[in-house]
Amino acid sequence: VEENIVSQVLVEQFMKTLSEKDMQILELRMNGDTLEEIAEKLGYKNHSGVLKRIRKIGQAYEAYTGVDYGFESGKIIG
């Protein structure tokens, strides 16, 4: 239980560091929107820009936590 609480606090603290656009992308993705749906809702030409932002958010989270989740190595596709 304590580990879950610590993880939740860490995520909440990290989310405060995000730009409004990145926060919107993250919230939409966490709500189950596809990359294409997010792109359409936020005015991107296609999903590629959204994917790049998600990877940057992931890399920033890895740097924030010091844990490798695979964003830098490209293991996370989207």
Side-chain angles (χ1 to χ4, degrees):
V1 173
E2 183 179 336
E3 185 176 315
N4 288 339
I5 293 170
V6 170
S7 294
Q8 184 177 355
V9 169
L10 188 61
V11 168
E12 289 173 5
Q13 289 173 341
F14 170 73
M15 290 176 76
K16 291 178 184 177
T17 70
L18 297 177
S19 69
E20 185 176 328
K21 179 77 85 172
D22 287 345
M23 191 66 164
Q24 288 175 318
I25 289 171
L26 189 57
E27 287 176 350
L28 290 169
R29 189 67 172 141
M30 289 171 53
N31 287 333
D33 287 315
T34 66
L35 298 179
E36 291 80 8
E37 291 169 336
I38 296 169
E40 185 176 320
K41 288 178 181 178
L42 299 182
Y44 285 85
K45 290 183 180 181
N46 57 49
H47 75 282
S48 179
V50 174
L51 179 57
K52 287 177 185 174
R53 296 280 297 246
I54 289 174
R55 283 189 177 142
K56 285 190 176 205
I57 294 167
Q59 290 169 349
Y61 187 69
E62 287 178 338
Y64 191 82
T65 63
V67 178
D68 181 4
Y69 292 101
F71 285 96
E72 188 67 40
S73 64
K75 290 187 263 183
I76 306 296
I77 296 173

